Amino acid sequence: MRFSTGVPIPKSNRPIDYNSQILSLGSCFAVNIAEKLDYFKFQNRCNPFGILFHPLAIHEIIRRSLSGQAFTGEDIVNHNDLWHSLDAHSELSHPNKETLLGHLNAALNDTRESLQSATHLILTYGTAWVYRYKTSQKIVANCHKIPQSQFEKELLSVETIAESIAQTIQLVRGCNPNCRIMVTISPVRHIKDGFVENQRSKAHLIAAIHSLGLEAFDYFPSYEIVMDELRDYRFYASDMLHPNPTAIDYIWERFSETQIHTAAAPLMLEIDSIQKALRHKPFQADSVAHRDFLVKLNQRIAHLQSKFPQINF
């Protein structure tokens, strides 16, 4: 599928290749892109702290990682027999307090090392709506189903978002001046906030990002591709909120043709062929033909790994 006209995307002057070290941070759509990078066996790390939806949450994790400010018991809360960090996604939550702290501080080290070594950093912002925990007056990354009465909901201003993103970029540049930074806005619709509120949120993100200019980072128009090229509910999942596989494949096509080095294309084709072969389900697993198929497949994998040791299937 390809449209005759579409959102213009300049080709990157520092495209991703198989030597690149990529770190992806942000909302659900960051995971979609990371899954594609993983499928094609690029060196990619995604969301050590789980999905992060808004700019202040992403900034706080980067700030904390680079400052070496470890998590302590004062930074976590207990709810429904689980310990949670209000700076991380619920996937890190744990019934044991010390185990959670260990996971959080390991994720800090992981994030710091990834930031220091990354050739490419992809930041995906999902919403400008945030929740402030009344007890600490801190804006949180995740509420963990704690009663909403314990939070105040706020819409970040364009100025606050712009300042946060600028500070985030400054922190990254301070530890890794050569890292290429890409910013994108998630096309996932946050309808729980309301239809009008979702549009206000995306508008604030768009206005803030473009108010900074595009000299310090690249902008990939994920949101605009869905809104202006696809713009049809056929391209949404059954919840009508998340882009479906067809939409994700289309966005990936636009991403790969503009952000990935053309020299990587033959290797991507070979990896795709191997991935499909690995997913093949034989009718007769014990047949001679299938055993021969597996031998040849393993030979292809070994040959590829002899040239690219970092690739694992």
Side-chain angles (χ1 to χ4, degrees):
M1 178 182 65
R2 191 58 201 266
F3 293 95
S4 58
T5 60
V7 178
I9 309 173
K11 285 199 172 186
S12 172
N13 57 9
R14 291 181 57 197
I16 293 168
D17 61 27
Y18 277 94
N19 293 314
S20 299
Q21 301 275 346
I22 309 155
L23 174 62
S24 303
L25 296 174
S27 75
C28 302
F29 190 72
V31 178
N32 296 142
I33 292 295
E35 287 174 346
K36 289 291 188 182
L37 291 167
D38 288 342
Y39 177 86
F40 286 102
K41 300 301 178 182
F42 289 96
Q43 299 177 84
N44 175 61
R45 186 75 176 92
C46 181
N47 281 342
F49 283 86
I51 293 170
L52 302 170
F53 295 99
H54 62 78
L56 300 189
I58 295 173
H59 173 77
E60 175 62 13
I61 285 303
I62 290 177
R63 182 202 67 77
R64 191 156 197 155
S65 298
L66 295 179
S67 70
Q69 181 186 353
F71 284 93
T72 68
E74 296 179 356
D75 298 310
I76 59 178
V77 298
N78 189 275
H79 179 67
N80 283 343
D81 298 322
L82 287 174
W83 287 95
H84 309 275
S85 167
L86 297 177
D87 290 320
H89 193 269
S90 297
E91 67 184 53
L92 274 75
S93 299
H94 199 276
N96 183 276
K97 180 179 181 180
E98 297 305 320
T99 300
L100 171 61
L101 289 173
H103 289 167
L104 291 170
N105 288 317
L108 280 179
N109 292 332
D110 185 359
T111 304
R112 181 178 64 255
E113 292 172 1
S114 296
L115 285 167
Q116 291 170 340
S117 62
T119 59
H120 296 76
L121 172 64
I122 302 174
L123 301 174
T124 304
Y125 298 111
T127 183
W129 287 103
V130 299
Y131 290 85
R132 187 182 298 274
Y133 191 42
K134 293 179 181 179
T135 301
S136 63
Q137 286 299 299
K138 178 179 179 178
I139 291 176
V140 304
N142 197 294
C143 296
H144 304 291
K145 298 184 179 179
I146 296 171
Q148 192 166 352
S149 61
Q150 297 187 36
F151 298 90
E152 294 175 342
K153 186 176 179 179
E154 303 175 17
L155 180 66
L156 296 176
S157 69
V158 172
E159 294 74 19
T160 298
I161 296 169
E163 181 181 1
S164 174
I165 295 175
Q167 290 175 353
T168 298
I169 291 169
Q170 186 177 14
L171 284 173
V172 175
R173 291 275 178 249
C175 82
N176 187 349
N178 296 319
C179 180
R180 177 193 158 209
I181 300 173
M182 176 190 293
V183 173
T184 188
I185 294 172
S186 171
V188 176
R189 303 162 70 227
H190 291 250
I191 298 303
K192 286 191 294 184
D193 295 319
F195 286 89
V196 173
E197 290 79 4
N198 175 66
Q199 292 297 82
R200 289 178 65 196
S201 168
K202 301 293 188 185
H204 279 215
L205 292 173
I206 293 168
I209 289 168
H210 289 278
S211 74
L212 295 171
L214 299 180
E215 293 79 20
F217 56 87
D218 296 329
Y219 181 72
F220 182 77
S222 302
Y223 177 78
E224 291 82 355
I225 289 171
V226 173
M227 293 298 106
D228 295 320
E229 291 189 41
L230 303 183
R231 54 177 170 178
D232 190 306
Y233 280 114
R234 290 177 300 158
F235 298 107
Y236 282 89
S238 58
D239 63 4
M240 297 299 171
L241 304 178
H242 294 78
N244 66 16
T246 301
I248 293 168
D249 286 346
Y250 182 79
I251 296 169
W252 171 251
E253 179 185 346
R254 301 297 315 273
F255 182 92
S256 59
E257 70 185 11
T258 57
Q259 310 303 316
I260 295 178
H261 203 294
T262 54
L267 183 53
M268 291 175 69
L269 287 173
E270 173 65 3
I271 290 172
D272 183 42
S273 175
I274 291 173
Q275 292 279 42
K276 290 175 179 175
L278 287 169
R279 287 160 172 74
H280 173 69
K281 294 183 178 181
F283 288 109
Q284 295 182 336
D286 296 329
S287 67
V288 173
H290 183 63
R291 288 199 296 270
D292 290 343
F293 168 81
L294 292 178
V295 169
K296 292 178 181 178
L297 178 59
N298 287 328
Q299 289 173 345
R300 290 172 65 192
I301 291 173
H303 177 70
L304 188 151
Q305 290 177 329
S306 69
K307 295 182 178 180
F308 302 91
Q310 73 271 28
I311 292 177
N312 290 302
F313 288 91

